[in-house]
Each structure stands twice: as structure tokens, then as C-alpha cells.
Amino acid sequence: MSWIINLSRREFCKSGALLGGGLVLGIHLPAGLAAAQEAKTAAPIIPNAFIRIAPDDTVTIIINKSEMGQGVYTSLPMLVAEELEADWQKIRIEPAPVDPVYNHTQWGGIMGTGGSTSVRSSWEQLSKAGAAARIMLEQAAAAVWNVDAQSCRAENGFVVHSDGKRRLSFGALAEKAAQLAVPQDVAVKQAKDFKVLGTVKKRLDTPEKTNGKALFALDVMVPGMLTAVVARPPVFGGTVVSVDDTAARKVAGVKDVVRIDRGVAVVADHFPAAERGRQALNIVWDEGALAGLDSSIQLQQYRETAATPGAVAAQRGDFTAGLARAAQKIEAEYHLPYLAHAPMEPLNCVADVRPDGCEIWVGTQLQTTDRNAAAAITGLPPEKVILHTTYLGGGFGRRAVGDSHFVSEAVQISKAVQAPVKVIWTREDDIRGGYYRPAALHALVAGLGADGMPVAMRHRIVSQSIVKGTPFEGGLMKNGIDDTAVEGASDSPYAVADFLAEYHMAPAGVPVLWWRSVGHSHTAFVKESFIDELAHAARQDPYEYRRKLLAGHPRLLAVLDRAARKASWGKASVPGAFQGIAVHESFGSFIAQVAEVSVDKKGGVKVHRVVCTIWANHL
Amino acid sequence: MISLNINNKNYQVEVEADVPLLWVIREHVQLTGTKFGCGIGECGACTVQIDGEAMPSCQITAKEAEGRKITTIEGLGEGHPVQLAWIEEDVPQCGYCQSGQILQAVSLLAANPRPTDADIDAAMNGNTCRCGTYPRIRRAIHRAAGKPGQGGKP
Ligand code: FES
Ligand code: FES
């Protein structure tokens, strides 16, 4: 039995008004049905969840990924259009609601965007949805013309008959196509036949991002909406002892002051009033266990930890024995700071909690968890919580939070004041608010052979875990190793016979989070800096040194060679500048860079030019 | 009551005199193309034109803006040459900073119709783009100045 069921005309009409009339391969599946599908192991093809074709020939692609600047509102429609043979001019986009049918194909049961996975994880799903819809349109045309479907072919928004005389637009065929069974076994194109993929398409979201119309959550206005800011503890983990809100309540425009789990919210008619009200609050805080936290002490502790063996993240050969045989020993330590994501649009969320339902407008990377958090706070069943994904003014991981804190705040406040509420984080709230890329200490030791090449290497990392204690712990943490802390280091491609990578999980406390490229944001820097130290110690050219250690990694070698060639390696284009080179793989992309840098007499560093090569092709 | 002229339209707003213009534009007039990024004049997301000059609307009060001609991104419409150049060069990524970037660029070109890369960098210096669209911003400004194909290269 097919797990795909097209909604009947009647069912469509029930919600047709919502969609502005016209039909077809439209309508996302009801939650119950989609959940039933999810239980099946084979991934079903569900064109009607992703493609809607209207009588006016517009093809709306429903996007289950959050657009935060990375281009999913264009790249994902390209995947569909390639197989659908759609007219690119007719493509429209619409953000998906929260529904199991829109779950991430690799993240087991949640909808979300992150980890540089959008195109990779949607490729098969959207290609097949496009192909299935195309076949249905061709079959519909065949039925109209009473001919064999084999003689009907879709091209550029029409189905044409092989006689060259007959053609019907997708819009004209859509309603008929929607009555057909969805083919479950569809072939997709080979790369050599691509017409859309591999070409440059203008971004579909550019026009509205140049005229002020693009709607970010911060721009959402709901009738009767109030604006709130939250006084959060001055130290991570702190709690409120007492609040005197007398002065705050006297500020013109302030409507209410409410306690929530993460602090004290001031709710007002407008942002400036809320902000003034917050400044007038008198809060006594218990600063909690981290009151004495100090970066220099933390660094000292990390150093002491790094002097002891950690959990083994990767091992080849016998590091200790290899080092003992080495002709020369090199050691280095790298300390990397906490980093804030600082998305251009400060965090915010609009929530409207009513007795019978809850509506949320938010730029989020994790729709399902946020929706569920709202359900838990309100006591409503999840399907009564409607979450609208707006544009994100930058994400970088900051909007993918397992604890849903910035959504939960808004929901708690709206529930308390019984009105729609927009919570705005100021820039200061955002920078002080935690959820940073973890600080890390890397301690490395290598032994070089008589030829100067490394024979043994140990790479030890001390950092807080991003995933420990979150819903992602199960998938990303094994045997005490947080994969996001060691990725890029434990899988170093350099051919070192005796290799050991170890991880120490530093004490929790400061809220930490994935920051774009996650572990690679520190491991790539350290791995490449250290290999440079080794080349330097061996008095060898750092480019050639890397080449010798990368046999068996053709893509890394290809980007490395190309960057060196394009940058005229060995001959800086700026007089007095020096060149540096690095190569790394992360999330399936291979990148090399040559930087031209000069240092002035005072030690000031100036980067003049960076030549970058990337291999980001279909693997 | 403060009266403001925004995009050639007069608005009477009930707001305290010292409220930053940014929030009046966003919350009272509900023109949300003007963005909040920092509130302290550091990022340029809130840039509007006041009597033709680009400035951060978070740094001027509603009272100070009274009687002056305020232009927001909505006031440019959709077919301004700078907007068209932005579309042609596909400048935006997340898009959040771009209203401010565009208004800053419009002011730059009004004062200097043929800016060099250095002129552009100097004029656009106060407008942060967290996505790093700077090379395309340069190219789009050259394009709007009638010199497509320039800028954005080292
Ligand atoms: S919000 Fe005005 S400069 Fe940043
Ligand atoms: S486009 Fe994202 S901040 Fe500029």
C-alpha cells in the first residue's frame, strides 16, 4: 500500500481559502498521517508536502529549512525545479509549518536547519518530489490527450506531446495531476543532464531584501502586541532573590513586570518603555556557583587538565613509542576564546498564548523543539501551537538552541500577561547572554624523524561540551567524546603513523553552543598552525610539507595545489608581505587558502589578500 | 504629539520627545524595513536619510527629527537604481543590514557619483554586515554609478 495519499478535492477546499484558491499537489499532510508515514522505514516520496502548483502556473516550493543568508530559499527550489522541469520564473517560496513531514532527513524526528546539511540532506528528498510531480503532470496530460504517457514530456513549465503540436501548462494540468497516485519509484537525473543545478540563479529572496519587505521576527506586529525585555542574571546560572519593581511600574508605557524562569520581564507598549522599565528594576541576585569565574583561572585549570590523559577520540599506532623514537620533539599550546555569534538581528520572538492555542513567530533553526517547548509551557497539545518561521537575520547556530530559551521566554511572558508579546534582546543582552562557541585549550606534541617529517603526534583538547545535557547528546556524544569538540582534529588527514587525539570535557557552566563550523572553528586553526610549526622546525616549505603528508587525499591536494598556484606561492604580490597556507575539510567541503600578511614594527598585523579555493561539488 | 515627515507623508505620533527615531519609525509608524542592530550608533542597520543625509536613526530623537525630511528604505520604492544594482549583484545574504547599506549608498552616490573603492570603503565604514557581503556591496555601488564590473576584487 502506498503511504502517499493525495488529499481529496473536498479536503483541499477546506483549507483552500487559506491558500488563496487554486490547487494542487499542495497542502501539507495532516500531522497524524505524516506521523504514520514517519513510522515506516522507507522514506516516502511526498511531492504534495513540498510542491504546490496553482492554476496561474505558479509553482510554490514549501521550504522546510530556515533562510538565514545561506540561500536555502533558492538552492532548495533549484533541486525541485531541476526534476520538475519547471519554469524558474514561476517559482515561489513559502516557509513550511511544523509537521513531521518536514523533519530533517538525518536528524531523527525534528525539523531544523544546521550543520551545513540543508542541500545534502534535502537532495534526494526534493529531487524525487520534483520528479514524482513531473511524472504526475505528464500522466495527467496523457489522460487529457488520450495518448501514451511515454509520448508526453515536461519542459519549462509545460507538458508537450511528441507530435510537437499539443502542449498544456502545469497550471492547467495541476488539478488533474493531483488526483493521481504518487509514483513511488522514480529515477532522477544524472549530473550530466542537469539544466538548473550547476548554473547561477539569482536569489529568490533578493528583491524583498532590498526594499524593506522581507519579514524578520523582529518586524512582526500582531494586534494588541506588547513588547518585553528581560533582566537576566549578571552571572550565568544566577537566580533572582528579590525584585522591587515599584519604580519600573511607574515608567510611562510599562504594563507589567513578570517573573519567568530566566529572570524578570518588563512588558510595555513599546520597546523604549520596556527598556526604561528594566533599567528601573531593583533586583537582588544570587549569583550562584559561577560568581567567581575568571578567564585566567579557567585557563590555568584547562592547562592542568591538559597535562593529564583524556578520553581517546582517535588512535593510530603507538604515540608513546613513536615519540620515543623521534629525532626531534615539538610542543605547542593554543588557547581559543569563547565567541559570541552576534547575529545582525538580535534574538527575539513573538508569542501569542491564548486559552485555545498558541501562535509563535520566530527566526529559529529548530522548529520542532521550540514548538514542543511552547506546548509544555502552555499545556496545549503540540498541534495547537502554530509556529511561523520568518527570515533569520543571521543564525550561525545561535538560533538552534536545544533548550528553546528565547522562545520559552516569550511564551511564558505572553501566558502571564495574556496578550501577544514580542521579546526583544538588545545587542548587550545578546553578547552577554551566553551560548558561546566554547573556549578551548589545545596541547600538541609531535616527534619528527630524521627527515623532518612527523612520525608521532598527540592532539589533546580541553573544552566544554556543546551537546552534553542537551537533546543532541545521544547522537553526538560517544564514550565521553563530544564529536563537535574534536571534529577536524581527531580526523586529521595528515599521514602520521603514531597518532593520538584526546578530549577532556571541561566543567559546564558558561552556556555554550554551536558557532558556525562548530569544532572546525578551532580545530582547523590549531591543526594547520601546528603543521606549520613542524614544517618550520624541519626547515621545509609549508606547502610542500603538507603535500607530502596528504597522499591519498586527492581533493585536499587539489585545492591546496590550486590555491598555491593561484596565489603564486613563494612570491607575495604585496612587497614586504609574507604568505601562509592552510588546507582543511569540513562538512564535505575541501578548502585551501593562501594569505598574504605583513607585520609592522609595532607588531600590528595586516592581511592584504587571501586566495581561497574550495571543492564543494556533489560528492 | 510629535509630527514627522517620513517618505513625504506626515505622521502625528504620540510619543515622548526623547524616544529614538528608530523606534518611532518601527513601532509607531510600523515601517519595519529600518532595522535595530545595536541602538548605540555602531552598526548602521538603522540608517535612514534625514534631509538627504544618511544617519543612524537610533542616534536621533523623535523631537530632533521633527520638521525634517526622513526617508526610509520604503521611501525608495522598488526601482531605485541602487536597489536595481543590489538585485543585479545579488548582494544580500540574510538581508538584515541591507536597508541601511542601501540608504548609505544612495547618500554616497548623491555626494560622489563616481566613487573609488577607497571612497566606498570610507563611506560605508559605519555599516556592518555580519554576513560579509562587502565585496558585492562595492560592486553594486560601482554598478549604480554606471561602472558595472568594478570593485570587489583584491
Ligand atoms: S541600531 Fe543604530 S547604529 Fe546600530
Ligand atoms: S546580509 Fe546579513 S548582515 Fe548583511
Side-chain angles (χ1 to χ4, degrees):
Chain A
M1 165 183 164
S2 164
W3 282 93
I4 307 303
I5 300 167
N6 268 319
L7 296 175
S8 70
R9 177 78 188 151
R10 201 173 53 82
E11 279 176 290
F12 166 75
C13 287
K14 274 191 281 183
S15 47
L18 188 76
L19 299 160
L23 145 72
V24 186
L25 304 175
I27 308 284
H28 67 94
L29 301 172
L33 174 58
Q37 288 181 346
E38 194 184 35
K40 295 283 136 186
T41 43
I45 301 168
I46 315 170
N48 56 357
F50 293 101
I51 304 165
R52 194 169 69 231
I53 302 172
D56 68 357
D57 291 334
T58 55
V59 176
T60 303
I61 314 294
I62 295 110
I63 312 278
N64 64 339
K65 295 282 178 277
S66 307
E67 175 59 69
M68 52 189 127
Q70 86 282 43
V72 284
Y73 278 13
T74 308
S75 56
L76 302 186
M78 286 172 78
L79 292 172
V80 176
E82 180 68 66
E83 295 292 336
L84 184 59
E85 304 292 348
D87 175 356
W88 185 252
Q89 304 304 323
K90 298 277 167 39
I91 300 278
R92 304 287 179 271
I93 39 169
E94 189 177 291
V98 184
D99 188 286
V101 78
Y102 297 116
N103 284 350
H104 195 291
T105 60
Q106 299 170 349
W107 288 0
I110 58 166
M111 180 173 166
T113 309
S116 304
T117 58
S118 292
V119 168
R120 283 184 282 149
S121 68
S122 303
W123 192 289
E124 189 185 352
Q125 182 180 47
L126 293 183
S127 299
K128 287 193 168 170
R134 186 200 70 238
I135 292 167
M136 293 160 80
L137 289 160
E138 289 168 346
Q139 288 172 345
V144 171
W145 297 325
N146 200 15
V147 298
D148 181 1
Q150 296 301 320
S151 62
C152 303
R153 189 169 42 83
E155 62 178 44
N156 204 34
F158 288 86
V159 177
V160 297
H161 186 249
S162 57
D163 67 10
K165 295 193 192 99
R166 283 173 286 186
R167 62 184 220 149
L168 283 166
S169 75
F170 282 8
L173 291 165
E175 187 172 343
K176 208 169 192 62
Q179 319 294 327
L180 302 171
V182 178
Q184 290 299 303
D185 187 18
V186 300
V188 293
K189 287 182 189 172
Q190 298 200 312
K192 66 174 172 48
D193 299 320
F194 288 162
K195 292 182 216 155
V196 178
L197 301 176
T199 67
V200 177
K201 290 280 178 228
K202 288 239 182 303
R203 291 178 58 134
L204 296 170
D205 53 349
T206 290
E208 60 176 333
K209 286 179 175 178
T210 58
N211 60 26
K213 288 197 178 138
L215 197 79
F216 299 85
L218 201 70
D219 304 330
V220 170
M221 305 281 172
V222 180
M225 184 183 83
L226 301 170
T227 299
V229 295
V230 178
R232 301 180 186 84
V235 176
F236 296 120
T239 49
V240 175
V241 175
S242 65
V243 190
D244 175 2
D245 59 15
T246 325
R249 285 179 185 275
K250 286 194 186 126
V251 171
V254 168
K255 286 278 190 275
D256 209 343
V257 176
V258 295
R259 291 272 291 267
I260 58 169
D261 60 350
R262 289 165 46 85
V264 182
V266 180
V267 190
D269 287 329
H270 295 291
F271 170 80
E275 181 61 16
R276 276 172 202 176
R278 177 165 67 168
Q279 279 156 16
L281 284 173
N282 219 321
I283 304 175
V284 178
W285 298 99
D286 174 352
E287 296 192 341
L290 294 187
L293 185 72
D294 180 308
S295 305
S296 58
I297 295 171
Q298 185 193 61
L299 174 58
Q300 199 44 47
Q301 287 164 346
Y302 280 21
R303 263 195 194 120
E304 283 159 21
T305 306
T308 64
V312 175
Q315 190 164 23
R316 269 194 315 269
D318 182 341
F319 164 74
T320 312
L323 188 68
R325 285 194 297 271
Q328 192 183 354
K329 181 174 153 187
I330 314 286
E331 283 183 272
E333 177 197 285
Y334 301 85
H335 179 228
L336 294 104
Y338 289 106
L339 290 177
H341 305 68
M344 201 73 195
E345 177 196 16
L347 294 176
N348 64 88
C349 176
V350 178
D352 181 10
V353 178
R354 300 176 305 267
D356 60 338
C358 170
E359 220 167 334
I360 295 169
W361 292 262
V362 66
T364 178
Q365 298 176 242
L366 285 179
Q367 285 82 354
T368 312
T369 31
D370 288 348
R371 193 266 320 254
N372 293 348
I377 293 164
T378 56
L380 292 162
E383 63 273 16
K384 292 279 183 202
V385 179
I386 310 293
L387 185 146
H388 307 273
T389 304
T390 61
Y391 279 118
L392 284 61
F396 319 118
R398 181 64 182 92
R399 291 182 151 96
V401 292
D403 64 4
S404 294
H405 59 272
F406 59 90
V407 170
S408 297
E409 287 180 352
V411 173
Q412 289 175 68
I413 299 166
S414 173
K415 186 181 171 198
V417 302
Q418 299 181 12
V421 170
K422 178 191 289 177
V423 176
I424 297 180
W425 293 50
T426 62
R427 178 59 60 198
E428 293 87 339
D429 292 336
D430 177 84
I431 302 284
R432 279 201 291 249
Y435 298 86
Y436 308 121
R437 191 283 301 270
L441 186 87
H442 291 238
L444 290 95
V445 186
L448 306 186
D451 60 354
M453 300 310 289
V455 292
M457 188 187 294
R458 187 181 67 206
H459 191 153
R460 230 174 232 170
I461 299 173
V462 185
S463 75
Q464 286 178 243
S465 168
I466 294 169
V467 299
K468 178 83 181 161
T470 75
F472 308 101
E473 182 175 340
L476 293 170
M477 192 133 190
K478 274 177 213 78
N479 307 323
I481 310 288
D482 176 346
D483 191 51
T484 71
V486 299
E487 60 186 3
S490 59
D491 52 354
S492 166
Y494 292 122
V496 180
D498 296 313
F499 177 78
L500 182 59
E502 294 178 344
Y503 175 63
H504 281 286
M505 187 164 64
V510 176
V512 292
L513 190 61
W514 16 65
W515 183 91
R516 64 189 314 180
S517 86
V518 198
H520 301 276
S521 73
H522 52 103
T523 58
F525 170 73
V526 171
K527 162 182 140 286
E528 288 303 290
S529 298
F530 190 61
I531 207 78
D532 239 62
E533 297 288 347
L534 303 188
H536 186 70
R539 297 175 193 283
Q540 294 191 31
D541 178 272
Y543 161 50
E544 295 296 342
Y545 197 76
R546 283 175 173 79
R547 290 201 93 250
K548 284 191 237 169
L549 294 168
L550 288 174
H553 294 277
R555 289 193 168 114
L556 287 171
L557 277 173
V559 290
L560 183 68
D561 287 344
R562 196 176 172 87
R565 200 165 63 244
K566 291 275 175 192
S568 308
W569 176 251
K571 216 168 113 278
S573 64
V574 179
F578 297 90
Q579 290 178 316
I581 194 164
V583 62
H584 195 73
E585 178 199 349
S586 76
F587 303 105
S589 294
F590 302 78
I591 296 181
Q593 296 190 346
V594 174
E596 291 192 5
V597 180
S598 62
V599 184
D600 66 25
K601 289 205 179 66
K602 290 193 190 120
V605 172
K606 180 161 173 146
V607 180
H608 299 274
R609 185 167 98 121
V610 179
V611 173
C612 178
T613 55
I614 177 165
W615 187 321
N617 288 4
H618 199 184
L619 289 178
Chain B
M1 197 67 94
I2 289 180
S3 58
L4 294 171
N5 182 283
I6 305 176
N7 305 329
N8 292 320
K9 230 176 122 184
N10 289 317
Y11 296 89
Q12 306 290 325
V13 288
E14 192 77 60
V15 62
E16 283 171 66
D18 61 345
V19 165
L21 177 63
L22 165 65
W23 295 102
V24 180
I25 292 172
R26 287 185 54 82
E27 298 188 323
H28 296 261
V29 184
Q30 303 212 343
L31 292 172
T32 55
T34 305
K35 303 303 187 196
F36 164 61
C38 70
I40 58 166
E42 286 291 327
C43 74
C46 66
T47 301
V48 298
Q49 288 183 326
I50 297 187
D51 295 333
E53 195 189 329
M55 54 174 74
S57 61
C58 69
Q59 294 301 296
I60 169 171
T61 64
K63 187 77 196 160
E64 287 162 349
E66 223 175 4
R68 305 175 71 178
K69 218 170 123 46
I70 301 159
T71 307
T72 70
I73 188 72
E74 291 87 352
L76 283 196
E78 300 189 359
H80 189 284
V82 173
Q83 288 170 314
L84 298 180
W86 241 248
I87 291 170
E88 203 47 47
E89 296 290 349
D90 234 348
V91 173
Q93 286 190 26
C94 81
Y96 195 76
C97 72
Q98 299 295 341
S99 302
Q101 306 280 3
I102 289 170
L103 287 164
Q104 192 73 51
V106 170
S107 282
L108 162 66
L109 289 166
N112 179 357
R114 290 275 186 279
T116 62
D117 277 354
D119 294 341
I120 293 172
D121 292 353
M124 304 300 291
N125 193 33
N127 289 73
T128 302
C129 176
R130 175 68 176 86
C131 300
T133 63
Y134 304 113
R136 289 198 299 281
I137 287 173
R138 256 200 207 166
R139 281 206 296 272
I141 293 174
H142 283 304
R143 177 178 286 277
K147 295 190 294 180
Q150 287 202 24
K153 295 218 175 68

